[in-house]
Amino acid sequence: MPDTPDTRCGFVAVIGAPNVGKSTLLNAVVGTKVSIVSPKVQTTRSRVLGIVIRGASQIVFIDTPGIFTPRRRLERAMVAAAWGGAGDADSVALLVDAARGCDADTSAILERLAESGRKAILVLNKVDLVRKPTLLDLAGKLNERGLFEATFMVSALTGDGIGDFVEHLSQIVAPGPWLFPEDQVSDMPQRLLAAEITREQILLQLHQELPYRAAVETESWEERSDGSAKISQVIYVEKENHRAIVLGKGGSRIKAIGAAARKELETLLDIRVHLFLFVKVRENWADDPERYREWGLDFKA
Ligand SMILES: Nc1nc2c(ncn2[C@@H]2O[C@H](COP(=O)(O)OP(=O)(O)O)[C@@H](O)[C@H]2O)c(=O)[nH]1
Ligand SMILES: [Mg+2]
């Protein structure tokens, strides 16, 4: 017998309209939070990897920003990153919100998939929200154009159907060596993940346009001798009145954001965390090339 290893490995890009549950799916397959989630669109700004091992297969999921018709520079860069993720991957999973059905964003993605000529995997998400007949109707309709090699019906929230989906992928990824260490679940540096956790709280706790116009950066990360970490972050907003909103009355909002983010970080990192947040006004951060580099986005997309 030749001593060829029987391992398999492949990249699977998760694409779809905003808010269909791509990041929730990524966290569900990985089993821990690697990508932040909120009810707001544009939560995911860059490409995030989630790495899963199933049997002899290592499946590397690429979470992408939602695909929609972009208007601003940041949006253009995010959509370009999403399609870039699909181009780099061995397989593409198109996620559709079963409750929302086939809306304009999803139709546009189907159009582009058809043009590319590559087969994708259809994943109908949020099955916990719809009745079976509606679901089957939608699956039938989406399959009419013959763009999909397989269809899965899942709930990223409850975990329903996730096992079958991962099992299928473990069988179709190509034979080859694993590309990441066995215990690695993401490629996101801890400082960036920590910043994302705080941004998630901003999205969850604040409303209107402001959350989309805030950025978070981890400025320093100090490991202390008692095993805890002191993390300082800056929240960048674009206007002085946004700063006031993030701070809240007597600093109450920033306090709540910090408390929730700290709790989440302590669970994720499994250490005690001292989190210090500062709010700064930086007009036009969304037009600063440096930010794009940091997130792995193309400024000129
Ligand atoms: N009911 C239900 N809600 C879900 C499910 N998956 C995601 N969501 C919710 O949909 C919203 C958007 O999720 P997110 O993962 O950020 O979507 P993304 O923009 O595609 O990455 C969040 O409020 C999630 O909690 C699901 O299977 N069922
Ligand atoms: Mg997302």
Side-chain angles (χ1 to χ4, degrees), residues 38-277:
S38 92
K40 299 198 170 66
V41 297
Q42 300 185 19
T43 298
T44 309
R45 280 197 180 142
S46 55
R47 260 186 266 172
V48 179
L49 295 191
I51 305 161
V52 180
I53 288 169
R54 180 77 161 225
S57 299
Q58 184 172 58
I59 310 161
V60 186
F61 290 90
I62 310 171
D63 187 13
T64 62
I67 296 173
F68 53 97
T69 308
R71 283 166 320 195
R72 298 188 301 140
R73 182 191 286 278
L74 179 60
E75 295 175 354
R76 269 201 310 280
M78 284 167 32
V79 172
W83 282 115
D88 295 343
D90 303 308
S91 301
V92 171
L94 172 64
L95 205 59
V96 175
D97 182 333
R100 211 192 309 162
C102 187
D103 60 3
D105 284 332
T106 295
S107 300
I109 297 170
L110 289 175
E111 210 49 59
R112 186 144 168 192
L113 266 183
E115 280 165 26
S116 78
R118 74 185 288 185
K119 289 254 164 133
I121 297 166
L122 176 63
V123 183
L124 293 179
N125 186 35
K126 310 197 186 182
V127 300
D128 55 298
L129 297 178
V130 287
R131 294 178 43 233
K132 204 65 183 251
T134 318
L135 199 59
L136 295 177
D137 261 10
L138 181 62
K141 188 165 158 262
L142 288 166
N143 268 295
E144 269 168 12
R145 299 173 67 179
L147 297 173
F148 303 111
E149 63 187 47
T151 299
F152 291 89
M153 301 180 190
V154 309
S155 169
L157 202 63
T158 67
D160 198 18
I162 298 294
D164 288 347
F165 173 55
V166 174
E167 180 61 34
H168 174 76
L169 294 171
S170 75
Q171 285 167 20
I172 65 166
V173 290
W178 290 0
L179 296 174
F180 294 90
E182 212 166 320
D183 55 358
Q184 190 172 338
V185 294
S186 177
D187 70 334
M188 194 184 277
Q190 269 193 343
R191 297 169 74 102
L192 196 56
L193 179 65
E196 285 286 276
I197 296 294
T198 299
R199 196 164 63 81
E200 181 175 54
Q201 285 306 321
I202 294 171
L203 287 162
L204 292 172
Q205 297 196 30
L206 295 172
H207 304 288
Q208 274 99 42
E209 45 150 5
L210 165 65
Y212 312 110
R213 303 200 147 261
V216 181
E217 267 170 40
T218 301
E219 296 262 288
S220 70
W221 186 305
E222 206 183 294
E223 311 267 340
R224 294 198 164 160
S225 52
D226 63 0
S228 67
K230 179 187 169 192
I231 303 171
S232 301
Q233 296 177 333
V234 180
I235 299 169
Y236 289 104
V237 292
E238 289 191 313
K239 295 177 193 157
E240 195 54 49
N241 66 323
H242 285 173
R243 187 170 169 271
I245 296 170
V246 175
L247 291 173
K249 254 206 190 93
S252 58
R253 181 50 64 193
I254 187 94
K255 219 165 156 183
I257 289 169
R262 179 181 54 77
K263 220 171 130 211
E264 179 91 37
L265 278 170
E266 289 188 331
T267 311
L268 271 175
L269 304 170
D270 204 20
I271 53 171
R272 265 188 43 234
V273 170
H274 313 273
L275 180 63
F276 296 86
L277 299 179

